Amino acid sequence: EVQLVESGGGLVQPGGSLRLSCAASGFTFSNYWMSWVRQTPGKGLEWVASINQDGSEQNYVDSVKGRFTISRDNAERSVYLQMNSLRVEDTAIYYCARDMRSPHWGQGTRLTVSS
Amino acid sequence: QSALTQPASVSGSPGQSITISCTGTSSDIGGYNYVCWYQQPPGKAPKLMIYDVNNRPSGVSNRFSGSKSGNTASLAISGLQAEDEGDYYCSSFRSYGSSNTWVFGGGTRLTVL
């Protein structure tokens, strides 16, 4: 069974940093693109970033470019999202997703950016 | 403003059929057959209902079907059931400069009357 378990969310002040992690199991992790998607409170979904199978290609939504970095460790079967210079508008539930063409989602981890 | 446009709400009675539209551009829906539909129950993660425009994952009822015409994708649900209530989102691959990106619709609240 495919499982994605996110962790690392919490309360951070504006301008702060945080790293989210996603542990994968139940599939050959190194064969898939991995992504982060977020959902702001009461609002819709927004794709944040994706990384290819060997980590050599990353793509980001414009609003996080230069602030967020997606990475992966295939040996650890994990994908990460390093978030710097956090803003109030980054407050959201962050989901890890396998392969955006036919994604399997984790249950999400909540990030709150507030002073 | 979301990248893809969905109606805010749709409704139908049990047993009826409804359709939810998702309108984009030639850079996303119109240019690629990478459209997904998700159902999101309150407080839970989205569940994939349709991928690659019209394919159902294993376990999804054949009452759900997807299609695309030009820059607009559609999700049809036949034989509405109370359990179908919830929020529905579409997504599409979008080619943006030299980047591969993904965009979502703003979501549609389905109410079963």
Side-chain angles (χ1 to χ4, degrees), chain B residues 42-61:
Chain B
K44 294 193 173 183
K47 174 188 176 184
L48 181 67
M49 306 301 286
I50 297 287
Y51 67 97
D52 288 353
V53 177
N54 56 12
N55 289 284
R56 279 188 308 275
S58 173
V60 172
S61 169

Side-chain angles (χ1 to χ4, degrees), chain A residues 28-112:
Chain A
T28 305
F29 181 75
S30 58
N31 284 355
Y32 289 89
W33 279 77
M34 297 296 296
S35 299
W36 288 95
V37 177
R38 66 186 179 185
Q39 185 166 30
T40 52
K43 294 190 178 179
L45 297 161
E46 179 181 46
W47 168 80
V48 175
S50 293
I51 188 167
N52 70 343
Q53 290 88 339
D54 66 3
S56 61
E57 181 178 347
Q58 304 93 36
N59 295 293
Y60 300 92
V61 67
D62 284 349
S63 59
V64 309
K65 282 181 181 176
R67 300 189 299 124
F68 290 12
T69 301
I70 187 172
S71 62
R72 67 190 294 160
D73 184 333
N74 286 344
E76 294 293 323
R77 304 172 58 84
S78 293
V79 62
Y80 309 99
L81 187 67
Q82 177 66 44
M83 304 181 292
N84 299 329
S85 302
L86 282 163
R87 305 169 180 168
V88 170
E89 54 265 35
D90 294 320
T91 295
I93 298 172
Y94 284 75
Y95 295 101
C96 169
R98 183 194 81 169
D99 183 9
M100 287 300 295
R101 269 187 66 180
S102 58
H104 187 98
W105 302 63
Q107 289 304 303
T109 186
R110 187 180 299 270
L111 167 67
T112 302

Side-chain angles (χ1 to χ4, degrees), chain B residues 7 11 13 15 18 20 29 32 35-36 43 62 66 72 108:
Chain B
S11 62
S13 299
I18 63 96
I20 301 172
I29 293 176
Y32 304 92
V35 177
C36 292
N62 59 9
T72 297
T108 299

